[in-house]
């Protein structure tokens, strides 16, 4: 394992990676069987989405026991074997810590509901307003109000997500002690990597107030000042004691300034942060469930602002296009039909050569794209199904409502890993929990023997380890006003790398600085040709020149 600046993290959604026993659901033994493939990528860490016991209302992000393995996923012995087997290849394990909320099936919530006052203080329980209305006007991120009746007590509990995900009250020192115990339990199993889910929501104020009319209620509970205090305390009590720890915080609706604080080493909080602003450039008026072409100018501006802002403040970005909560980037920002190889490799270069730590989501490295689903019944995710119902209720016909959901659904990235062209995509001998659709054209077996996307990813991963200008260099935007191209320059100890990425399916031109014309063509997804001051770029071309 290398330092996190020169590392690459591979994300596995265990439920969809590889099914070892034919029940249609991926499991830990399946991951163990595929370790040779994971090691062949050259990655340094594997981030696993939750595989803890869970009712599954939010695909494992509703945890009922933080210190056990969901029986559908395997056993603790399987997990221990997995840590050891990955470690033999120099690959660390990164676990998903969902510490903003628990499942309502968790022992703490069940004890609270049974009347135990100690555990009632673990959650945000509030009386209705004097007029009988809900404690605040906050809206759940999954739709509907963020409050649910707490049994027959007359009180309500807060749930910023599904009603079965009750928010923990971190103001209570007992809660903080409990979550530190959770992190330390997994440290005792050899885990040195932790990804903290929506961690900037743990600093909600003690007095929960209505959002003023016409304002976004997220401002009332996001990036509160206590988040820094709590993260510093958690670091001191747990992962901060490990010299080789790597941590990343998922930051919901956050700011550059807040994320500088979370990831600046001087603050002793986290190694790096995820933000999602660049993945909202295809939202109409900021609304997810809309149909809109992505805004390249906004995408470039956001990537540039975050790269420069974090650089100036000493923070560090986690870089990504894909994860378990996003549709496939290939469909959003590329062309999976006409230019699958070109747009997949261009998107990879854009992220992997930037300042920050790249994350590769399983299947991205072989060019996986959104499934060819045709009906809402093909989807499992509660968020997609709720959104479809709300769109229909709002007056959309079912066909249009489905097109909108199909463009943004989280299940788009949760379809099984496509190992081969068989009916089950080599993922399972049984019936997959979510159906694959284009495995005949896109699969690991093809990429390993005759593909071009997988080798490109392997080269990018290798280059980060061997090339300090990539892992350590400064970032400077180049040609920021170009209508078709994202470009930037990296600088480190006299070496400079110019990265050019066309986001269009047509030819375009860009001026190349004279001093780069004699440089080394370091990365390219098209055949070599002479460099000229005015360079014509092919569809989705990427080019990196080193001097």
């Amino acid at each position: 394992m290398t330092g996190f600046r020169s590392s690459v993290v591979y994300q596995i959604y265990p439920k969809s990676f590889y099914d070892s026993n034919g029940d249609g659901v991926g499991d830990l033994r399946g991951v163990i069987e595929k370790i040779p493939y994971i090691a062949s990528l050259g990655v340094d860490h594997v981030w696993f989405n939750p595989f803890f016991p869970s009712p599954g209302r939010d695909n494992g992000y509703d945890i009922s026991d933080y210190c056990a393995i969901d029986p559908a996923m395997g056993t603790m012995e399987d997990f221990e074997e997995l840590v050891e087997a990955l470690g033999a290849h120099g690959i660390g394990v990164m676990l998903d810590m969902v510490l903003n909320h628990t499942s309502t099936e968790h022992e703490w919530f069940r004890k609270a509901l049974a009347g135990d006052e100690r555990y009632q203080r673990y959650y945000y329980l509030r009386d209705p307003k004097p007029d009988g209305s809900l404690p605040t006007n906050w809206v759940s991120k999954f739709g509907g109000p963020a409050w649910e009746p707490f049994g027959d007590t007359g009180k309500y509990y807060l749930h910023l997500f599904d009603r079965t995900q009750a928010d923990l009250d971190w103001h209570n020192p007992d809660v903080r002690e409990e979550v530190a115990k959770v992190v330390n339990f997994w440290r005792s199993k050899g885990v040195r990597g932790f990804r903290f889910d929506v961690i900037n929501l743990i600093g909600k104020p003690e007095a929960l107030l209505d959002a003023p009319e016409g304002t976004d209620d997220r401002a009332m509970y996001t990036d509160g000042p206590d988040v820094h205090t709590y993260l510093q305390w958690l670091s001191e009590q747990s992962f901060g004691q490990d010299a080789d720890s790597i941590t990343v915080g998922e930051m919901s609706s956050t700011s550059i300034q807040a994320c500088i604080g979370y990831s600046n080493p001087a603050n002793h909080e986290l190694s790096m942060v995820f933000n999602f602003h660049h993945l909202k450039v295809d939202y109409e008026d900021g609304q997810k469930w809309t149909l809109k072409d992505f805004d390249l100018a906004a995408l470039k501006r956001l990537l540039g602002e975050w790269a420069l802002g974090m650089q100036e403040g000493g923070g560090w970005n986690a870089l990504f296009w894909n994860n378990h909560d996003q549709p496939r980037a290939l469909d959003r920002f590329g062309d999976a039909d006409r230019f699958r190889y070109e747009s997949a490799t261009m998107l990879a270069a854009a992220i992997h050569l930037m300042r920050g730590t790249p994350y590769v989501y399983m299947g991205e490295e072989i060019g996986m794209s959104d499934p060819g689903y045709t009906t809402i019944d093909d989807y499992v995710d509660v968020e997609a199904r709720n959104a479809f119902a709300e769109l229909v209720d709002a007056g959309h016909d079912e066909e249009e409502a489905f097109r909108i959901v199909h463009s943004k659904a989280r299940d788009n990235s949760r379809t099984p890993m496509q190992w081969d062209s068989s009916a089950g995509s080599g993922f399972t001998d049984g019936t997959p929990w979510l159906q694959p659709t284009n495995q005949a054209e896109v699969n690991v077996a093809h990429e390993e023997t005759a593909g071009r996307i997988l080798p490109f990813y392997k080269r990018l991963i290798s280059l980060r380890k061997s090339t300090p200008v990539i892992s350590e260099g400064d970032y400077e935007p180049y040609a920021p006003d170009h209508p078709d191209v994202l470009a930037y320059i990296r600088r480190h100890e006299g070496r400079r790398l110019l990265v050019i990425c066309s986001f269009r399916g047509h030819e375009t031109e860009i001026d190349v600085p004279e001093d780069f014309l004699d440089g080394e063509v370091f990365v390219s997804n098209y055949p070599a040709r002479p460099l000229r001051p005015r360079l014509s770029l092919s569809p989705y071309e990427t080019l990196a020149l080193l001097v």
Side-chain angles (χ1 to χ4, degrees):
M1 289 180 284
T2 57
F4 66 82
R5 289 179 176 236
S6 55
S7 290
V8 177
V9 182
Y10 188 65
Q11 182 190 353
I12 287 178
Y13 192 73
K15 192 174 181 180
S16 298
F17 193 63
Y18 185 64
D19 168 23
S20 71
N21 60 8
D23 65 358
V25 177
D27 46 53
L28 297 186
R29 292 230 63 84
V31 178
I32 292 169
E33 287 186 35
K34 294 296 186 181
I35 284 177
Y37 172 76
I38 298 167
S40 77
L41 300 175
V43 297
D44 304 279
H45 305 271
V46 177
W47 156 27
F48 292 96
N49 291 100
F51 43 66
F52 315 111
S54 165
R57 282 283 300 175
D58 186 22
N59 271 283
Y61 282 83
D62 49 328
I63 294 172
S64 55
D65 186 343
Y66 286 112
C67 297
I69 306 295
D70 186 328
M73 291 284 136
T75 66
M76 189 62 74
E77 289 73 26
D78 292 333
F79 176 75
E80 291 165 352
E81 182 181 339
L82 175 62
V83 173
E84 185 175 353
L86 282 170
H89 291 277
I91 300 171
V93 168
M94 177 182 283
L95 291 189
D96 216 321
M97 297 284 101
V98 188
L99 304 177
N100 174 71
H101 46 262
T102 72
S103 167
T104 51
E105 295 295 310
H106 196 286
E107 178 187 28
W108 302 339
F109 192 85
R110 293 167 78 96
K111 285 183 175 179
L113 205 53
D116 190 322
E117 293 184 2
R118 167 184 163 86
Y119 288 97
Q120 287 179 354
R121 289 191 292 272
Y122 276 37
Y123 298 93
Y124 285 93
L125 305 184
R126 296 292 187 270
D127 292 315
K129 292 174 183 167
D131 65 2
S133 61
L134 296 174
T136 71
N137 60 357
W138 298 358
V139 178
S140 161
K141 293 172 184 287
F142 288 172
W147 295 94
E148 193 75 12
F150 183 65
D152 57 4
T153 64
K155 294 181 181 291
Y156 291 84
Y157 68 89
L158 177 67
H159 62 92
L160 291 180
F161 295 88
D162 187 72
R163 62 183 176 80
T164 64
Q165 293 168 293
D167 280 55
L168 286 166
D169 185 351
W170 278 61
H171 294 287
N172 181 346
D174 290 343
V175 168
R176 299 199 296 275
E177 291 287 349
E178 293 276 18
V179 298
K181 282 182 193 172
V182 170
V183 176
N184 287 329
F185 173 84
W186 294 109
R187 286 177 61 229
S188 74
K189 300 286 183 184
V191 176
R192 292 296 177 265
F194 296 97
R195 181 262 190 190
F196 294 100
D197 186 64
V198 294
I199 198 65
N200 61 328
L201 305 184
I202 62 172
K204 292 175 275 287
E206 289 194 75
L208 306 182
L209 305 174
D210 276 347
E213 191 172 345
T215 65
D216 190 333
D217 63 350
R218 290 175 294 188
M220 306 303 293
Y221 56 74
T222 303
D223 286 328
D226 287 334
V227 180
H228 295 289
T229 305
Y230 295 155
L231 284 176
Q232 288 163 11
W233 181 88
L234 185 60
S235 171
E236 183 181 293
Q237 298 296 314
S238 59
F239 59 83
Q241 298 172 24
D242 300 320
D244 56 348
S245 78
I246 177 171
T247 53
V248 59
E250 180 198 30
M251 301 300 167
S252 171
S253 306
T254 191
S255 68
I256 294 172
Q257 201 55 43
C259 286
I260 288 170
Y262 299 139
S263 61
N264 187 312
N267 290 355
H268 302 287
E269 297 181 34
L270 301 171
S271 308
M272 66 191 88
V273 293
F274 286 120
N275 85 85
F276 296 91
H277 297 289
H278 66 297
L279 295 182
K280 298 179 180 180
V281 296
D282 55 358
Y283 288 17
E284 188 75 58
D285 298 323
Q287 299 301 306
K288 174 175 179 174
W289 300 109
T290 53
L291 280 176
K292 178 180 180 287
D293 288 337
F294 80 96
D295 182 339
L296 179 56
L299 179 68
K300 290 170 57 173
R301 176 179 54 78
L302 287 162
L303 290 174
E305 286 175 355
W306 276 84
L308 286 172
M310 295 289 273
Q311 176 172 285
E312 290 163 6
W316 196 253
N317 282 314
L319 305 169
F320 70 107
W321 290 120
N322 298 277
N323 69 22
H324 63 289
D325 278 338
Q326 300 290 331
R328 292 281 183 177
L330 196 53
D331 292 274
R332 300 175 81 172
F333 306 116
D335 186 334
D337 295 323
R338 296 186 304 152
F339 299 106
R340 183 181 297 270
Y341 159 74
E342 292 83 0
S343 47
T345 50
M346 180 279 292
L347 288 168
I351 285 295
H352 281 253
L353 301 178
M354 202 172 270
R355 182 184 184 274
T357 297
Y359 284 64
V360 178
Y361 180 69
M362 61 178 225
E364 172 188 340
E365 75 278 13
I366 60 168
M368 279 181 64
S369 52
D370 290 344
Y373 289 166
T374 55
T375 167
I376 193 63
D377 294 331
D378 291 331
Y379 284 103
V380 173
D381 185 33
V382 60
E383 185 192 38
R385 287 174 168 267
N386 287 351
F388 178 79
E390 289 176 10
L391 287 165
V392 171
D393 289 345
H396 295 274
D397 64 53
E398 290 198 359
E399 185 178 335
E400 183 182 21
F402 179 75
R403 283 197 301 121
I404 293 170
V405 171
H406 184 257
S407 74
K408 301 283 171 62
R410 302 190 299 182
D411 276 351
N412 288 357
S413 61
R414 298 174 179 180
T415 56
M417 183 72 172
Q418 294 170 190
W419 297 101
D420 62 33
S421 60
S422 64
S425 74
F427 161 72
T428 182
D429 294 330
T431 302
W433 76 277
L434 202 56
Q435 289 294 329
T437 58
N438 67 350
Q439 67 272 26
E441 297 82 39
V442 180
N443 60 72
V444 171
H446 168 73
E447 278 293 320
E448 287 190 320
T449 55
R452 295 188 292 162
I453 300 173
L454 182 59
F456 194 92
Y457 266 86
K458 289 181 179 180
R459 173 163 162 74
L460 288 174
I461 292 166
S462 173
L463 286 175
R464 177 161 284 268
K465 296 175 182 41
S466 61
T467 316
V469 71
I470 298 174
S471 58
E472 301 289 343
D474 288 342
Y475 171 95
E476 175 191 331
Y478 178 73
D481 297 324
H482 197 294
D484 301 326
V485 174
L486 166 71
Y488 52 87
I489 296 173
R490 306 292 310 283
R491 302 174 187 272
H492 182 71
E493 295 183 350
R495 302 187 96 192
R496 287 173 299 137
L497 185 70
L498 171 64
V499 180
I500 298 169
C501 300
S502 172
F503 275 73
R504 302 299 190 203
H506 55 73
E507 290 196 357
T508 188
E509 293 186 332
I510 190 169
D511 293 325
V512 177
E514 187 176 348
D515 54 338
F516 278 96
L517 294 176
D518 294 324
E520 174 191 351
V521 177
F522 198 58
V523 171
S524 177
N525 63 350
Y526 274 87
R529 87 290 202 171
L531 296 177
R532 306 184 191 284
R534 182 76 174 165
L535 195 62
S536 177
L537 298 175
S538 298
Y540 300 104
E541 181 167 3
T542 188
L543 188 66
L545 305 175
L546 182 67
V547 296

